[in-house]
Amino acid sequence: MIFKNTFKLILPNFSLTYKVFIYKIIILLLALSVAGTIGAPFIMHLVDIDFLGFLTTKLTFLIENLNLGNVFFTLKEIFLNIIDVFKGLDSTLLINVILAISVFVLIYGLIGSACELATIDCLNSNLSSKTKLSFFKSLVAKSLKSFGKTIIQFILSVPFYAILILVVYFGFSLYDNSLGVLKFIIPAIMFLAFIIVKGCHLTIFAGFSPSIIIKDEGLFKDLKTGLKLTSKKFFVVLSTSLMISFIVVLGNVFIAVYSFFAGLIFTLPITYLIISLFKIISFYEINGMRYYCGDNIRTPLKKSEQDKIKKIKNII
């Protein structure tokens, strides 16, 4: 029911995608402008070594020959070239680029992710009582809690980010030294590894944001509550998160490739809504909380009630 209702409730809550998109674009432009100003020496270095020319050539080739194979090949060359650029930096430029990246992550990660709690808050209001809540009003009201939540989740997510970086680095590196069928197997393994890591990450933190909105018992207690609830139906939540991760990643890739990346303007906000719906519906289902699913009211059974029914069936 979690998977089915997640996608069933996209259209009734579709208006949130526009608000998320506007907010994300504003914060992205702010982060790029501030980080770009700080990282000006590094940008000038990229101009001097003609990296921007290399990047323009690769992107032009990709646009003129757009398909999945060329997307993978182009991303591989750009990624490995970036690694070489970083290896050639002196200490001054290295500190400069680390500072610029840190500022970008701080602004976009800390402020940009504030819309998650606002989205969950609006969804909770709509699904629990058919009440329309102001997105931007909730955004302001939940900002401090959102900052704290983002910091906690980022620290706990570092191992996941590290695994993804290693998968990309070794995958691209091995691809150049591979022959024959391995040229097809390595991209597939990288894709599956990304889905598994993303699915596990989504599963672990699925209950965190809904717990902050619904329980509101303090960030660390809300984290504990979210983890405890997820563990009650861990494999159900994990399997659902893996399916959702597979669908949204594959969908975004195909739409990006066959729309010259323009389609991402629509698919990325929808992806954000899908993940938010998955989190709040998982919380409802595990807790046995009633919620509106369209015009109908869904009353899921709590796990304890499900266990009793299973015991009765076994006895019979």
Side-chain angles (χ1 to χ4, degrees), residues 110-148:
L110 197 61
I111 303 176
S113 62
C115 62
E116 181 181 355
L117 285 188
T119 303
I120 297 288
D121 197 16
C122 291
L123 289 174
N124 178 57
S125 180
N126 189 24
L127 298 181
S128 63
S129 61
K130 285 283 187 179
T131 303
K132 295 292 184 181
L133 195 65
S134 170
F135 175 82
F136 292 103
K137 183 178 179 181
S138 178
L139 188 68
V140 174
K142 305 294 182 183
S143 58
L144 291 179
K145 289 180 181 178
S146 179
F147 296 158

Side-chain angles (χ1 to χ4, degrees), residues 50-63 74 78:
D50 200 33
F51 175 81
L52 297 181
F54 160 81
L55 189 62
T56 302
T57 301
K58 291 300 176 184
L59 292 178
T60 301
F61 167 80
L62 181 60
I63 291 172
T74 302
I78 291 173

Side-chain angles (χ1 to χ4, degrees), residues 62-75:
L62 181 60
I63 291 172
E64 293 175 349
N65 305 273
L66 198 56
N67 58 59
L68 285 175
N70 285 336
V71 168
F72 178 84
F73 183 75
T74 302
L75 290 177

